[in-house]
Amino acid sequence: MEAPAPAPHSPAETPVPGVTVELTITSPEQMQELGRRLAKLLRAGDLVLLNGELGAGKTTLTRGLGEGLGVRGAVTSPTFVIARVHPSLGDGPPLVHVDAYRLGGGLEEMEDLDLDVSLPESVVVVEWGEGKVEELTEDRLHVTIHRAVGDTTDEVRHVTLAGFGERWAQVDLGAPL
């Protein structure tokens, strides 16, 4: 498992009380279903940060988000292209899927992606985004996925959903899950 993140230093960096949910996921299908259910809570302007070890299920969760949001195109890992935009097939927001794994710096290194421009009308999901994109908005959802590492066939994942900011103070993360 990853080492815990350092303690937040400002009130904006503290999860909203009551807006943290812990889940156990036992299959890729359940991870994708979690994404479909979370999509029901998302709206344009939402920033979702996904963190977890390689192979934890970040892209599988995002695939479920894409299905739930009703977007066009297969949601696959954007590791080599850095970002993909999936337009909505209906009247919902597009999904902007970013993989910040190869980006070492903070928000300034990600400026070329224009996430600040995309955010108001899109749902922006950033894999490996912790410490890189929090400055985009105080209102965001952090999803942390822990899995057994090493030579294992263990499919169990421990998922923590943590809402930050006023937007998530009004959302019951446990309701649809």
Side-chain angles (χ1 to χ4, degrees), residues 1-15:
M1 293 181 89
E2 292 180 350
H9 297 290
S10 71
E13 293 301 309
T14 304

Side-chain angles (χ1 to χ4, degrees), residues 44-111:
D46 283 341
L47 174 64
V48 180
L49 278 69
L50 302 180
N51 291 290
E53 298 87 359
L54 285 169
K58 296 177 295 294
T59 300
T60 301
L61 177 72
T62 306
R63 189 171 299 119
L65 288 172
E67 289 175 11
L69 291 169
V71 299
R72 186 179 71 207
V75 175
T76 60
S77 177
T79 299
F80 297 104
V81 295
I82 309 298
R84 284 194 171 97
V85 177
H86 298 275
S88 175
L89 291 170
D91 59 358
L95 171 67
V96 177
H97 184 197
V98 179
D99 186 329
Y101 183 75
R102 297 180 181 280
L103 303 176
L107 189 58
E108 62 279 350
E109 188 172 340
M110 298 190 73
E111 281 184 355

Side-chain angles (χ1 to χ4, degrees), residues 25 33 42-43 51 54 56 60-61 69 85 93 97 115 118 128 135 142 154 161 165 172:
I25 303 294
E33 177 62 22
L42 297 174
R43 62 184 188 206
N51 291 290
L54 285 169
T60 301
L61 177 72
L69 291 169
V85 177
H97 184 197
L115 294 180
S118 300
W128 305 96
E135 295 173 33
H142 286 233
D154 188 0
L161 308 173
D172 183 359

Side-chain angles (χ1 to χ4, degrees), residues 86-153:
H86 298 275
S88 175
L89 291 170
D91 59 358
L95 171 67
V96 177
H97 184 197
V98 179
D99 186 329
Y101 183 75
R102 297 180 181 280
L103 303 176
L107 189 58
E108 62 279 350
E109 188 172 340
M110 298 190 73
E111 281 184 355
D112 289 341
L113 299 176
D114 288 332
L115 294 180
D116 56 335
V117 174
S118 300
L119 185 59
E121 70 270 355
S122 305
V123 170
V124 176
V125 176
V126 183
E127 296 186 28
W128 305 96
E130 193 167 294
K132 297 176 182 174
V133 296
E134 288 90 339
E135 295 173 33
L136 285 172
T137 179
E138 291 181 4
D139 298 312
R140 59 192 182 274
L141 178 64
H142 286 233
V143 179
T144 304
I145 306 169
H146 291 285
R147 70 171 185 91
V149 294
D151 186 19
T152 180
T153 58

